[in-house]
């Protein structure tokens, strides 16, 4: 059977960064990783960051794979070509309801050649439980995890780290901590052990529900974060939207940074593909999380499978007309007459 890994975490938590480190670790241990990436719009942007790290990347653009894009995910899983040593990693979008996804995949009879879903949750140490009405969704994504990784741990102090640990204990977040290397080592063991019908019961948390995955039903549906307002926004981030903007063929780095810095607070994550005036022969993938972080730019080479420079913005109730007008004004000013 093929280990099925679900990489989960809120918008901008660091899932793709973790995946970029995990893939070489898997390959170094003789495993053959394959990847499915789900994101609101143009999942190919994130797929660009995996160039040279994995042979097979399938982007699924659209809503969460636990609801709106579920049929596309199930179709991809059913067509997957299984072989000894292969591992499939599904990077979910940032507002996925992990419990619903786990139960859907665990109960799907046509996926019997995969192990039960093995969930890896990426927790942003700087922003954990500081997301207002999104706290409940973030907490649920952590509570169902088999493995956990705390991103941006080097950017928080000891007091903040202790607060996170107390929060984990209070809310039953009990996944095994795993760096990319440690997870790869665990998957070697799982890959070697699977075989026969029993392997469909693999889970780091022995199950109390029919799907074999651990959920504490009494606490899960009634924990203190499920206030009425949070419950209204909880499921799959249905209130989230994405906006895609075409960018000029080449833009100055300063103009791109100004555009990203001026984005409204409704934009929780911005990403895209760009060619800079300073290095027009090379494409860069850019990423930015909320209004605090500076933009990250990663060079990917002279070609791109996305095809053209583009920006993708994700968040609740994005003021589309204002964003488009601001982008047009800024980038028009950079275009030679």
């Amino acid at each position: 059977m093929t280990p099925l890994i679900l990489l989960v975490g809120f918008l901008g938590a660091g899932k793709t960064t973790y995946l970029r480190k995990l893939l070489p670790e898997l390959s170094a241990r003789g495993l053959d990783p394959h990847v499915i990436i789900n994101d609101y719009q143009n999942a190919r942007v994130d797929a660009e960051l995996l160039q040279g790290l994995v042979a097979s990347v399938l982007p699924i653009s659209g809503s969460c794979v636990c609801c709106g894009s579920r049929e596309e995910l199930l179709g991809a899983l059913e067509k997957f070509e299984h072989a000894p040593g292969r591992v499939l990693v599904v990077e979910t979008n940032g507002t996925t309801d992990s419990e619903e996804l786990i139960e859907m995949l665990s109960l799907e009879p046509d996926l019997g050649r995969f192990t039960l879903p093995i969930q890896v949750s990426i927790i942003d140490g700087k922003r954990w439980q500081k997301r207002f009405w999104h706290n409940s969704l973030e907490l649920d994504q952590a509570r169902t995890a088999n493995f956990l990784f705390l991103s941006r741990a080097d950017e928080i102090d000891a007091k903040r780290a202790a607060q996170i640990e107390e929060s984990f204990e209070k809310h039953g977040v009990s996944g095994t901590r795993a760096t990319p290397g440690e997870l790869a080592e665990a998957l070697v063991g799982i890959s070697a052990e699977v075989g026969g019908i029993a392997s469909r019961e693999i889970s780091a948390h022995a199950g109390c529900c029919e799907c074999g995955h651990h959920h504490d039903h009494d606490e899960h549906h009634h924990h203190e974060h499920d206030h009425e307002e949070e419950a209204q926004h909880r499921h799959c981030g249905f209130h989230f939207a994405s906006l895609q903007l075409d960018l000029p063929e080449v833009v100055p780095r300063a103009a791109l940074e100004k555009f990203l810095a001026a984005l409204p607070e409704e934009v929780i994550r911005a990403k895209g593909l760009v060619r800079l005036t300073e290095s027009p022969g090379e494409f860069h993938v850019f990423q930015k999380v909320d209004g605090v972080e500076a933009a990250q730019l990663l060079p990917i080479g002279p070609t791109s499978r996305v095809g053209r420079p583009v920006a993708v913005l994700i968040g609740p109730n994005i003021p589309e007309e204002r964003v488009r007008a601001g982008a047009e004004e800024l980038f028009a000013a950079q275009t030679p007459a």
Side-chain angles (χ1 to χ4, degrees):
M1 286 189 176
T2 302
L4 177 59
I5 315 302
L6 303 181
L7 194 56
V8 174
F10 200 74
L11 293 168
K15 297 184 295 295
T16 305
T17 299
Y18 186 93
L19 182 57
R20 281 168 53 87
K21 296 178 181 178
L22 173 64
L23 294 173
E25 296 282 359
L26 293 172
S27 299
R29 289 165 173 79
L31 297 177
D32 179 18
H34 293 247
V35 174
I36 295 175
I37 291 183
N38 170 227
D39 213 339
Y40 276 98
Q41 196 164 26
N42 211 330
R44 291 177 297 170
V45 171
D46 285 337
E48 290 286 350
L49 292 171
L50 305 182
Q51 286 192 44
L53 297 177
V54 63
S56 171
V57 182
L58 173 64
I60 296 179
S61 299
S63 58
C64 306
V65 285
C66 61
C67 51
S69 298
R70 62 182 293 170
E71 295 304 321
E72 190 170 355
L73 173 63
L74 289 174
L77 294 177
E78 290 168 6
K79 295 176 183 177
F80 184 79
E81 296 184 5
H82 297 268
R86 285 193 174 175
V87 174
L88 180 59
V89 183
V90 180
E91 180 184 334
T92 66
N93 82 34
T95 59
T96 295
D97 184 326
S98 55
E99 180 177 10
E100 181 167 330
L101 179 59
I102 289 167
E103 292 181 354
M104 177 189 79
L105 296 177
S106 299
L107 297 173
E108 177 56 50
D110 293 333
L111 303 183
R113 297 187 67 184
F114 287 104
T115 66
L116 280 179
I118 302 166
Q119 182 186 330
V120 183
S121 285
I122 309 302
I123 307 297
D124 185 338
K126 293 180 67 175
R127 298 176 179 81
W128 168 253
Q129 294 298 277
K130 292 184 177 182
R131 304 184 186 277
F132 302 101
W133 55 78
H134 307 308
N135 281 349
S136 180
L137 175 61
E138 182 187 48
L139 182 59
D140 289 344
Q141 290 175 337
R143 286 166 57 89
T144 53
N146 303 104
F147 296 94
L148 290 173
F149 179 77
L150 190 67
S151 67
R152 299 184 174 90
D154 58 339
E155 300 178 35
I156 61 176
D157 58 22
K159 180 179 179 181
R160 172 63 176 161
Q163 291 172 343
I164 294 172
E165 295 301 328
E166 290 173 4
S167 176
F168 284 173
E169 183 175 358
K170 177 180 180 181
H171 296 295
V173 177
S174 57
T176 301
R177 307 302 173 86
T179 64
E182 290 167 343
L183 177 63
E185 198 64 38
L187 293 179
V188 170
I190 291 173
S191 181
E193 291 173 6
V194 295
I197 193 66
S199 61
R200 193 68 178 141
E201 300 176 0
I202 287 177
S203 177
H205 300 300
C208 64
C209 63
E210 292 182 0
C211 69
H213 199 91
H214 171 78
H215 308 296
D216 189 334
H217 295 283
D218 290 336
E219 291 186 8
H220 178 78
H221 294 291
H222 302 288
H223 59 72
E224 65 181 72
H225 286 272
D226 282 335
H227 301 303
E228 181 177 352
E229 182 180 17
E230 291 181 336
Q232 180 182 359
H233 294 284
R234 174 178 177 272
H235 176 68
C236 290
F238 68 87
H239 60 302
F240 279 78
S242 61
L243 172 62
Q244 180 167 306
L245 303 173
D246 290 335
L247 298 180
E249 285 298 316
V250 180
V251 300
R253 177 166 183 154
L256 176 66
E257 292 176 344
K258 185 176 181 179
F259 163 69
L260 295 174
L263 289 173
E265 62 180 8
E266 290 89 347
V267 177
I268 292 179
R269 186 184 178 211
K271 65 178 183 179
L273 189 75
V274 69
R275 287 195 300 157
L276 302 175
T277 303
E278 294 83 352
S279 52
E282 185 166 44
F283 280 97
H284 287 73
V285 170
F286 65 84
Q287 302 184 71
K288 187 175 187 298
V289 181
D290 64 40
V292 179
E293 296 288 334
Q296 294 180 317
L297 281 97
L298 300 172
I300 61 168
T303 61
S304 165
R305 288 168 290 189
V306 173
R308 68 186 190 281
V310 65
V312 178
L313 313 179
I314 302 170
N317 305 314
I318 297 175
E320 179 175 350
E321 292 185 5
R322 175 155 60 96
V323 171
R324 287 190 182 278
E328 290 176 5
E329 181 180 358
L330 174 63
F331 292 123
Q334 306 297 326
T335 303

